[in-house]
């Protein structure tokens, strides 16, 4: 990157499914907090609640706001991957659309790219906190503890899903566009194996105040999701040893 960091275009990707109540606040927060050229890309998986309409109504106010509508829900990792393909930024970020990941923290993360390739918003790095229901916090800590034990790398929050990266990172690693959140574990582990510089910024992650969590729709889905994470951690390790 030849231009100063503060002059580089930032692309922020927001996946959405039934986020009508919160998507507007998230978009506005991003445009208020990111003090450099910015495009926001919303990838909506056919939300029946009118999420896409809210985004379209904001496009007059924010001309660099883009909407990608997909007719069928294809999963979180697939939405992020599509957004990355469509993005133009020298810096590419992705995060949840529900305000649980604050735009103010993303602005700080971007500043750390002056000395790093990847900056992760981390619940478990110094200064971070996972302020959700105890069962969800425990499950996340168990997954991250297992990932750290198996994969190493010194990463505290392997399944964060809140990140800012230099576009050049994609010359070395890419997202495997399947599943919900385990893709991020593979992404960080592969980046670590490639020798990319990874930094974590601690922040307080809270349960969404509006809408319904997509990752904890039922106890059964929660258990199945956790088992999927464990399987993909072991698969990432096996691939990395090839």
């Amino acid at each position: 990157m030849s231009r100063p960091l503060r002059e580089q275009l930032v692309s922020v990707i927001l996946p959405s499914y039934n986020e009508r109540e919160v998507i507007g606040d998230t978009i506005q927060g991003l445009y208020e907090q990111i003090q450099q050229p910015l495009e926001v890309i919303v990838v909506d998986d056919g939300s029946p609640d009118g999420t896409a309409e809210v985004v379209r109504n904001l496009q007059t106010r924010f001309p660099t706001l883009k909407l990608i509508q997909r007719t069928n829900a294809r999963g979180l990792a697939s939405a992020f991957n599509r957004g990355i393909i469509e993005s133009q930024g020298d810096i590419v970020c992705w995060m949840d659309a529900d305000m649980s990941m604050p735009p103010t923290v993303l602005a700080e993360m971007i500043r750390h790219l002056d000395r790093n390739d990847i900056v992760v918003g981390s619940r478990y790095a110094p200064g971070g906190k996972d302020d959700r229901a105890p069962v969800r916090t425990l499950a996340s800590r168990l997954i991250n503890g297992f990932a750290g034990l198996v994969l190493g790398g010194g990463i505290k929050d392997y399944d964060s899903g809140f990140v800012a990266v230099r576009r050049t990172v994609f010359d070395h690693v890419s997202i495997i566009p399947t599943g919900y959140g385990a893709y991020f574990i593979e992404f960080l582990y592969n980046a670590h194996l490639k020798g990319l510089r990874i930094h974590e910024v601690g922040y307080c992650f809270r349960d969404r105040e509006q809408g319904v969590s997509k990752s904890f729709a039922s106890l059964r889905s929660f258990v199945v999701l956790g088992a999927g994470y464990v399987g993909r951690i072991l698969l990432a390790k096996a691939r990395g040893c090839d």
Side-chain angles (χ1 to χ4, degrees), residues 109-157:
M109 290 161 56
I110 291 169
R111 289 192 290 271
H112 282 277
L113 285 173
D114 61 347
R115 297 184 179 181
N116 299 282
D117 300 301
I118 298 172
V119 179
V120 178
S122 175
R123 298 161 292 184
Y124 309 124
K129 182 179 180 182
D130 192 343
D131 196 23
R132 296 177 295 169
V135 64
R136 299 190 69 192
T137 300
L138 176 61
S140 180
R141 286 192 175 276
L142 288 173
I143 288 170
N144 276 284
F146 183 67
L149 181 66
V150 174
L151 304 178
I155 297 167
K156 304 293 185 183
D157 198 348

Side-chain angles (χ1 to χ4, degrees), residues 28-68:
Q28 180 172 320
L30 287 168
Y31 279 99
E32 289 175 350
Q33 296 298 327
I34 308 302
Q35 301 299 309
Q36 60 195 85
L38 173 67
E39 68 172 2
V40 176
I41 301 172
V42 177
V43 183
D44 185 65
D45 275 346
S47 298
D49 73 337
T51 298
E53 180 182 358
V54 173
V55 176
R56 279 194 296 269
N57 289 339
L58 288 170
Q59 287 179 313
T60 301
R61 183 178 175 189
F62 304 114
T64 59
L65 171 61
K66 301 178 181 180
L67 173 64
I68 298 170

Side-chain angles (χ1 to χ4, degrees), residues 155-186:
I155 297 167
K156 304 293 185 183
D157 198 348
Y158 255 112
D159 70 334
S160 163
F162 184 19
V163 69
V165 309
R166 293 175 178 265
R167 186 164 208 95
T168 52
V169 163
F170 301 116
D171 295 335
H172 305 280
V173 295
S174 59
I175 285 178
I176 299 175
T178 58
Y180 182 76
Y183 82 92
F184 197 70
I185 298 174
E186 295 171 312

